[in-house]
Amino acid sequence: MKIERAYTIVTSPGRNFVTLKIVTDQGEYGIGDATLNGREMAVVAYLEEHVIPALIGRDPQRIEDIWHFLYRGAYWRRGPVTMTAIAAVDMALWDIKAKLAGMPLYQLLGGKSRDRVMVYGHATGRDIDACLEEVARHVDEGYKAVRVQAGVPGIASIYGVAKKDGEPYEPADADLPAEHVWSTSKYLNHVPKLFAAVRERFGDDLHVLHDVHHRLTPIEAARLGKDVEPYRLFWLEDCVPAENQEAFGLIRQHTTTPLAVGEVFNSLFDAKALIENQWIDYIRATLTHAGGITHVRRIADLAGLYHVRTGFHGPTDLSPVCLGAAIHFDTWVPNFGIQEYMPHTQATDEVFPHDYRFEDGHFIVGETPGHGVDIDEQLAKQYPYKRASLPVNRLEDGTLWHW
Ligand SMILES: O=C(O)C(=O)C[C@H](O)[C@H](O)CO
Ligand SMILES: [Mg+2]
């Protein structure tokens, strides 16, 4: 069997998605998600110029060999563009292999470790009261776990909080980067009040999570972790930028609040010290940005040795192809923790027909051979690419900060 054709499909049903389709000489095909939010066309160029020509004629069943061919062979290893391109190939090849085997992907990975996959949803509000209403809506919809982000008095606009209450937030919301202004002291004073209100209204059983989005220093993160300990968060996410993995050692010394990190990671080497030193509790590196199933499986296996569990990134800027493959992975992986879930728009769900389903705060994996997600290429053509950029953040004195 040979790879006969491969091509990218860029579509924007509400937001941009890049999909790689690989077709074999025997008519079977697989698809992979290649969406890197705000840098979509860099991955398209990488795939079209450097990857696809080298795939034609190769045996699609040699997933491991093709992975190393693209990783080692490029010489320039790692990086989000390279690893997203490799991930898309890898996901499409696993889709093909599972279809050839006549099995849903989770069976090829090793079968079910659980019947269903717990997810967390996103509650956001301009202030604490509006945010509590959104938490209540999620609880009514069956969610067992909710990420809680509220506006902070004195900060005009903030990542992760929707512009209008009740609507999802969209980080890539402008042609060129929007500029936000950030105040760490205002934020640190406000977050414990938010979680006190959440526990008071919803009691002890609801799992609550919070995303700091990389904006603190290690000692500030340590303080926040301590301050929210009484509210028993499921996790505190991305509390500092993680290029310096040792920073998490400092935070860990000060707090028992569980720590999650890794949505921007693209390799096991981004997380090696974090995992081996048990500085974190959840690893968020996901299939689309970290080299696909073949590589994330290695990360998860290493994590399992150190009591670190998975908590895959799952925003709307990863396509349903990534989410579908992730649900298979989550259903199999022994050290599963939780799966992030932001529902896609109806238009996106129509472009990407899929067989996973949400029920009572969990995803139930589908039984279709492959990863269970397809693309309607005709419909995709109705939604042309439109450049969209992520914001930047400045401190009140104008210093460019993490966002
Ligand atoms: O979902 C999350 O936890 C995020 O932090 C979302 C990111 O900001 C988003 O994926 C950036 O593209
Ligand atoms: Mg995040």
Side-chain angles (χ1 to χ4, degrees), residues 15 36-38 120 122 147 159 169-172 211 213-214 237-238 263 284 289 313-318 340 342 390 403:
R15 66 157 3 275
L36 184 61
N37 197 13
Y120 69 91
H122 283 213
R147 186 185 99 152
Y159 151 81
Y169 81 94
E170 169 54 68
D211 188 354
H213 222 253
H214 325 270
E237 174 184 335
D238 284 345
E263 68 181 43
R284 284 175 53 66
H289 298 144
H313 194 206
T316 34
D317 48 85
L318 291 163
E340 181 179 12
M342 288 175 77
L390 298 167
W403 71 274

Side-chain angles (χ1 to χ4, degrees), residues 128 150-155 158 182-197 210 212 216 220-221 223-225 227-228 231 396:
I128 292 180
V152 175
I155 301 184
I158 185 168
W182 174 249
S183 161
T184 297
S185 58
K186 289 180 181 123
Y187 169 79
L188 283 178
N189 289 334
H190 193 250
V191 175
K193 294 178 198 154
L194 170 65
F195 282 94
H210 184 69
V212 184
L216 301 179
E220 290 164 351
R223 173 185 146 195
L224 180 61
D227 285 353
V228 297
Y231 314 116
E396 288 165 305

Side-chain angles (χ1 to χ4, degrees), residues 38-213:
R39 293 291 183 270
E40 294 87 354
M41 302 314 279
V43 184
V44 171
Y46 192 101
L47 282 166
E48 290 186 348
E49 180 65 17
H50 306 293
V51 173
I52 290 173
L55 285 180
I56 308 305
R58 284 179 197 280
D59 179 353
Q61 297 176 99
R62 295 183 63 173
I63 299 178
E64 195 70 50
D65 182 67
I66 290 178
W67 197 94
H68 289 283
F69 173 81
L70 295 173
Y71 182 81
R72 297 180 183 172
Y75 186 63
W76 311 106
R77 297 181 184 198
R78 304 164 58 188
V81 174
T82 299
M83 295 304 275
T84 300
I86 294 177
V89 174
D90 187 76
M91 226 180 280
L93 295 182
W94 277 99
D95 193 24
I96 290 173
K97 194 180 272 297
K99 285 175 176 171
L100 292 174
M103 289 179 183
L105 175 60
Y106 74 81
Q107 291 288 16
L108 272 193
L109 293 171
K112 285 188 179 181
S113 296
R114 57 198 54 78
D115 301 324
R116 54 189 195 157
V117 167
M118 184 167 76
V119 306
Y120 69 91
H122 283 213
T124 94
R126 270 167 309 156
D127 56 25
I128 292 180
D129 285 344
C131 192
L132 295 183
E133 289 314 305
E134 275 297 291
V135 177
R137 182 173 68 78
H138 280 82
V139 171
D140 289 348
E141 287 176 10
Y143 285 87
K144 312 296 177 228
V146 184
R147 186 185 99 152
V148 185
Q149 311 286 138
V152 175
I155 301 184
S157 61
I158 185 168
Y159 151 81
V161 175
K163 285 185 178 146
K164 279 198 190 145
D165 288 336
E167 286 187 357
Y169 81 94
E170 169 54 68
D173 62 355
D175 178 29
L176 294 174
E179 302 232 343
H180 296 180
V181 178
W182 174 249
S183 161
T184 297
S185 58
K186 289 180 181 123
Y187 169 79
L188 283 178
N189 289 334
H190 193 250
V191 175
K193 294 178 198 154
L194 170 65
F195 282 94
V198 170
R199 279 288 174 233
E200 170 147 347
R201 174 149 168 199
F202 297 97
D204 287 338
D205 286 348
L206 183 67
H207 297 302
V208 292
L209 301 83
H210 184 69
D211 188 354
V212 184
H213 222 253

Side-chain angles (χ1 to χ4, degrees), residues 326-394:
I327 292 167
H328 283 270
F329 194 103
D330 296 336
T331 299
W332 155 71
V333 70
N335 49 321
F336 171 73
I338 200 164
Q339 168 69 49
E340 181 179 12
Y341 175 43
M342 288 175 77
H344 290 104
T345 61
Q346 196 186 332
T348 300
D349 282 337
E350 284 165 7
V351 170
F352 295 97
H354 51 263
D355 69 350
Y356 54 79
R357 65 176 209 279
F358 176 78
E359 202 179 280
D360 194 30
H362 295 76
F363 271 122
I364 317 288
V365 75
E367 294 296 328
T368 315
H371 56 46
V373 187
D374 209 338
I375 182 163
D376 180 334
E377 293 182 59
Q378 284 312 111
L379 194 56
K381 284 189 187 136
Q382 292 181 17
Y383 302 104
Y385 168 77
K386 189 163 175 270
R387 185 175 57 204
S389 301
L390 298 167
V392 298
N393 220 9
R394 291 187 187 275

